[in-house]
Amino acid sequence: MRTPYYLYDLKLLDKTLQQLVFESNNYKIHYAIKANTDIRINKIIASYGLGADCVSGNEIKHALKCGFKAESIVFAGVGKTDQEIEIGLNNDISCFNVESIQEIEVINSIAKKMNKLARIAIRVNPNVDVDTHQYIKTGVNENKFGISIENLIDAVSQIDLCRCVELVGLHFHIGSQITNFRNFEFLAKKVNYILDYLYNEGVDIEHVNLGGGLGIDYENPQQNSFPDFHNYFNVFRDNLKISSHQKVHFELGRSIVGQCGDLVTTVLYVKEGASKKFAIVDAGMTELLRPALYGAKHSIEKCLPINLKKEKYDIVGPICESSDSFRKGYIIERLSRGDQLRIKSVGAYGQVMVSSYNLRDNPKVFYQNEGVSNDYPLKQTIVMN
Ligand code: LLP
C-alpha cells in the first residue's frame, strides 16, 4: 500500500456515535460536516439520526447526498453567497444561522423572490474567551463571527421588518478543541443572560444551538479514544436555564470523528543534523496541515517490528517549508528507512484540509480491517486485498 494514506476506523466511529446518542439524550445533535467529509463516514453518522451543520452550499448538497435530512440541516458562515442561500432555500433546510444584520436583509430578499419563508437563528457573538489556539477561537469580540450582544435587538427588529424570514433560534459557537469545561459553563451562563434579556424585550426563542468545540485527547489517543460526552452535556444540564418548550441543539465535529483516523506514512530518510536527528517521512503539511498551522501535536506511533531502543527525532515532512514538521524532539522507537508510522487522531480536520502544494498527489483513503496490510496494532489480523 503506497503511503501516505488516511486509515479510518469505522468500528470506533460506531462506538463513539453510540456513546454520543446515549449521553446527549434529548438534545439535538448536528454533525459539523467540515470536520470530515468522507462519504462512508458521513453516511454512518447520518444513519444515527444526527442533523448536519454546513458552512457552504456544497456542504449542504454533500450532506443531502449522504442521507442527512433537509429538515435537520443548519447553515452557518459569515459569508454566504446568494447562490448558497438559494441552495439552502431550494432544499428547505431547517435554519440559516445568520451572522450579520445585512445578511438578514439579503436572505429576506432572496426568499421573497423564491416565494419562500426562511427560518433564521441569530448567531450571537457572546464574547466568551476559551482556552484554545487563537486561530480557532470564534466567540470573542475581535472575531468576525456572529452578531454582538449590543446589536442583538437591532437584528431582531430587522427580522420583524422582513416578511420572508422568521426568527426561530439563537446560535453560539465559541471555538474548537476546548477541553476546559469551565469555558462551556461560562457560555451556558452567558446564554441564560441573553435569553432573559430577550425575553424581557418580548422575544421568545424556539431553539438554542450551543455549537461545537468539545476537544479530544491528542496526547493519549489510545487511553482516551472517546471524548468525555457525559461531563460535557452535564455542564449544560447543570447550568443552562431553558424553558420546557425550548429545544437545545449542538454542532459537534472533532469529538465525533477525531479519534477515528490515522495518517500512515513511511520514513524516507534518517538524517543526523548538527544538533539533532531528523526522520523525514513521506507525509507532509500537504496531507496534515494542523501541526504547521496551529502547532498541533499529534501522537505518532511506529508500526511493527518493535524496536526496543528509543531515540529522539524531529519528525518532518518533505515539503519545502520549515513549518513542515510534525513533532520536534519526539522520543520514539529507533527509526530506519522504510519504517511505517501512524500519525494519530487525524479523523477531524485532517483529510479535509489536504492541499496539492508542491503538486502533491491527494492521499488515498482506506478503512481499518478492509484491505490494508499494515502490522498495526500488535497482532491485529488485517485482511489483505
Ligand atoms: N459549528 C461551527 C459554526 C463551527 O465553525 C465549527 C468549527 C463547529 C461547529 C464544529 O466544531 P468542533 O466540534 O469540530 O470543534 N481546522 C481547525 C478547527 C476549525 C473549526 C472550525 N469550526 C483544527 O484543525 O483544529
Side-chain angles (χ1 to χ4, degrees):
M1 206 68 59
R2 233 179 92 193
T3 57
Y5 58 86
Y6 273 86
L7 180 61
Y8 292 125
D9 183 345
L10 302 181
K11 277 209 182 102
L12 181 61
L13 175 66
D14 261 319
K15 286 191 195 145
T16 309
L17 285 161
Q18 282 158 16
Q19 286 200 7
L20 171 69
V21 168
F22 177 75
E23 296 293 350
S24 59
N25 197 4
N26 55 349
Y27 291 152
K28 170 80 192 168
I29 311 295
H30 299 265
Y31 165 62
I33 296 277
K34 67 170 84 62
N36 187 314
T37 53
D38 177 80
I39 293 179
R40 279 185 72 180
I41 289 183
N42 285 198
K43 281 187 171 168
I44 292 173
I45 297 173
S47 75
Y48 277 79
L50 271 66
D53 157 43
C54 299
V55 287
S56 70
N58 286 343
E59 280 194 2
I60 295 176
K61 290 185 196 164
H62 181 80
L64 291 167
K65 201 167 84 184
C66 293
F68 291 96
K69 302 261 182 306
E71 62 267 24
S72 58
I73 290 180
V74 296
F75 183 16
V78 281
K80 303 177 189 74
T81 65
D82 294 13
Q83 291 72 23
E84 289 177 317
I85 293 168
E86 282 167 19
I87 291 171
L89 288 169
N90 260 328
N91 287 291
D92 285 323
I93 60 164
S94 142
C95 181
F96 291 82
N97 294 335
V98 299
E99 308 225 12
S100 65
I101 294 179
Q102 194 168 30
E103 188 189 329
I104 297 168
E105 294 165 37
V106 171
I107 294 180
N108 182 60
S109 70
I110 296 173
K112 196 167 166 194
K113 270 191 239 140
M114 294 173 69
N115 202 19
K116 297 266 188 186
L117 177 67
R119 287 169 294 276
I120 280 189
I122 299 175
R123 176 166 180 177
V124 183
N125 183 327
N127 199 25
V128 170
D129 202 358
V130 292
D131 303 306
T132 193
H133 190 278
Q134 56 157 332
Y135 290 177
I136 51 177
K137 290 181 183 188
T138 51
V140 286
N141 282 344
E142 70 168 67
N143 298 137
K144 64 183 173 182
F145 300 100
I147 294 177
S148 66
I149 299 176
E150 292 72 24
N151 291 326
L152 206 45
I153 289 298
D154 287 348
V156 173
S157 311
Q158 183 61 51
I159 294 171
D160 283 345
L161 290 175
C162 294
R163 299 241 319 275
C164 297
V165 296
E166 159 188 43
L167 178 63
V168 292
L170 289 186
H171 173 231
F172 302 84
H173 174 71
I174 52 176
S176 198
Q177 185 49 22
I178 300 167
T179 50
N180 178 356
F181 283 9
R182 294 273 294 162
N183 294 164
F184 294 120
E185 191 183 322
F186 278 125
L187 171 65
K189 289 180 175 158
K190 205 63 175 277
V191 171
N192 293 341
Y193 161 80
I194 293 166
L195 285 173
D196 275 352
Y197 165 68
L198 286 179
Y199 187 78
N200 290 332
E201 297 286 330
V203 185
D204 196 19
I205 296 293
E206 198 180 280
H207 79 249
V208 181
N209 180 339
L210 282 314
L214 172 60
I216 60 168
D217 191 342
Y218 281 102
E219 287 293 328
N220 301 297
Q222 305 285 29
Q223 291 94 310
N224 293 313
S225 43
F226 301 104
D228 189 358
F229 290 128
H230 180 75
N231 286 317
Y232 171 69
F233 290 118
N234 272 351
V235 170
F236 294 97
R237 285 199 183 97
D238 293 345
N239 293 286
L240 198 62
K241 291 193 196 115
I242 286 289
S243 315
S244 54
H245 72 284
Q246 285 172 325
K247 187 104 183 122
V248 179
H249 295 193
F250 291 88
E251 299 166 345
L252 297 172
R254 186 190 319 263
S255 50
I256 298 177
V257 289
Q259 298 293 22
C260 305
D262 291 346
L263 177 61
V264 183
T265 182
T266 304
V267 176
L268 293 173
Y269 302 100
V270 177
K271 166 163 102 170
E272 194 83 50
S275 59
K276 49 165 103 166
K277 267 195 175 148
F278 294 97
I280 301 155
V281 299
D282 64 358
M285 62 196 286
T286 40
E287 286 70 45
L288 181 67
L289 184 60
R290 303 193 68 258
L293 189 57
Y294 316 110
K297 291 193 175 111
H298 289 253
S299 163
I300 303 178
E301 293 172 5
K302 183 179 161 301
C303 302
L304 289 175
I306 292 176
N307 192 337
L308 291 176
K309 277 217 140 207
K310 294 206 170 185
E311 291 214 31
K312 201 194 264 188
Y313 300 92
D314 277 18
I315 301 180
V316 300
I319 306 301
C320 306
E321 304 255 352
S322 292
S323 60
D324 182 33
S325 164
F326 291 115
R327 295 297 301 243
K328 289 197 191 318
Y330 195 63
I331 297 173
I332 190 168
E333 291 164 51
R334 183 191 277 175
L335 299 176
S336 317
R337 174 171 166 82
D339 282 345
Q340 285 205 348
L341 305 179
R342 285 193 180 203
I343 305 178
K344 307 293 294 175
S345 318
V346 300
Y349 308 111
Q351 201 195 344
V352 284
M353 291 170 78
V354 162
S355 84
S356 57
Y357 182 42
N358 288 191
L359 276 188
R360 302 266 294 172
D361 289 329
N362 271 355
K364 290 210 162 43
V365 174
F366 297 97
Y367 303 91
Q368 186 94 34
N369 295 324
E370 286 181 27
V372 175
S373 164
N374 185 308
D375 289 320
Y376 179 96
L378 281 176
K379 295 206 181 72
Q380 182 166 328
T381 329
I382 298 173
V383 186
M384 276 182 82
N385 251 354

